[in-house]
Amino acid sequence: MRALAIGLLIVAGLWTWGLFSESCLKSSLAELPKADKIVVHKAERTLTLYRTSEVLKSYKVALGFNPIGHKEFEGDGKTPEGNYTIDSKNTKSRYFLNLGINYPNAIDTQNAQNAGKSAGGDIKIHGLPNGWSAFERIFGVFDWTSGCIAVDNASMKEIYEAVAVGTPIEILP
C-alpha cells in the first residue's frame, strides 16, 4: 500500500511539473526571426528553419512510427516526403501547439486512390501530447507519431512563433 501511495505521488508530481513547464514556455524563450522556409531531413531526424538561405535554428524531431519512405496511404505510419506548405496554426490541439502541413497534394491523393486507399491527412508539426511534457525524454527516443513531425514543447513554441501560414516546407528522405 505504501509503495502505491509513493508511486501515485511521483506520478502526480511529474504531471504537475509537466503542466507547470508548459505554462512557463510563453515567457521563457527568446523569439527567433520569422522563417521563410522549413527543411526536414528524415534520416537525420532534424527540422531546420531558414530565413533567406541562412539557418536560424535546427531541432531534433520524431517521425511516424514507420519512417522510411514517402507516406502512401492513411495508417501506414510514414511521414510524407516532398514539397508542401504550412496551411494552419492551432493552439487548441491535443498536442502542444501545431502547424498544419497541406498533405495530401493532388499527386498523393491520386497515388493512394490508384492503390484503392485513402491518402489520409491531418499531418502536423506538433509538440508532445498535452499533459505529457514530463515524459519528454521518452518521446524523443523513438518515432511515435502516425505520420506527423514531433518536437519537444520548448522547440515547438519557438517554431510556432517563427513560422507563418504559407511558409514552404521541404521534407527530405
Side-chain angles (χ1 to χ4, degrees):
M1 185 65 154
R2 182 179 170 156
L4 176 62
I6 291 171
L8 289 173
L9 284 173
I10 290 170
V11 169
L14 289 172
W15 179 75
T16 301
W17 177 80
L19 291 178
F20 175 75
S21 67
E22 287 178 15
S23 66
C24 290
L25 287 173
K26 292 183 177 155
S27 61
S28 66
L29 298 172
E31 191 172 314
L32 289 173
K34 296 299 181 198
D36 60 16
K37 184 174 184 179
I38 303 168
V39 177
V40 175
H41 288 272
K42 289 172 53 176
E44 286 93 33
R45 303 299 190 276
T46 60
L47 178 152
T48 303
L49 299 179
Y50 289 88
R51 179 165 187 84
T52 59
S53 302
E54 179 184 330
V55 172
L56 295 175
K57 193 162 182 183
S58 289
Y59 303 88
K60 182 179 175 188
V61 300
L63 303 170
F65 61 84
N66 184 22
I68 307 295
H70 177 59
K71 184 164 196 62
E72 298 177 77
F73 54 86
E74 184 174 19
D76 66 5
K78 296 177 188 275
T79 300
E81 296 172 358
N83 293 304
Y84 298 94
T85 303
I86 299 301
D87 66 0
S88 63
K89 295 178 84 167
N90 184 355
T91 60
K92 307 267 188 228
S93 76
R94 295 183 346 222
Y95 299 89
F96 183 73
L97 304 174
N98 80 45
L99 297 171
I101 299 173
N102 71 332
Y103 172 89
N105 61 29
I107 294 169
D108 297 323
T109 301
Q110 187 60 54
N111 289 339
Q113 287 175 348
N114 290 345
K117 300 188 179 207
S118 166
D122 211 24
I123 301 296
K124 312 287 185 187
I125 301 169
H126 60 69
L128 301 179
N130 291 329
W132 287 82
S133 64
F135 301 99
E136 182 175 325
R137 289 191 176 133
I138 295 170
F139 284 100
V141 174
F142 60 94
D143 294 315
W144 58 271
T145 76
S146 295
C148 294
I149 300 163
V151 295
D152 64 83
N153 289 354
S155 298
M156 189 62 222
K157 176 66 175 164
E158 286 183 344
I159 294 165
Y160 190 88
E161 294 299 324
V163 173
V165 170
T167 302
I169 176 169
E170 182 177 10
I171 305 172
L172 301 167

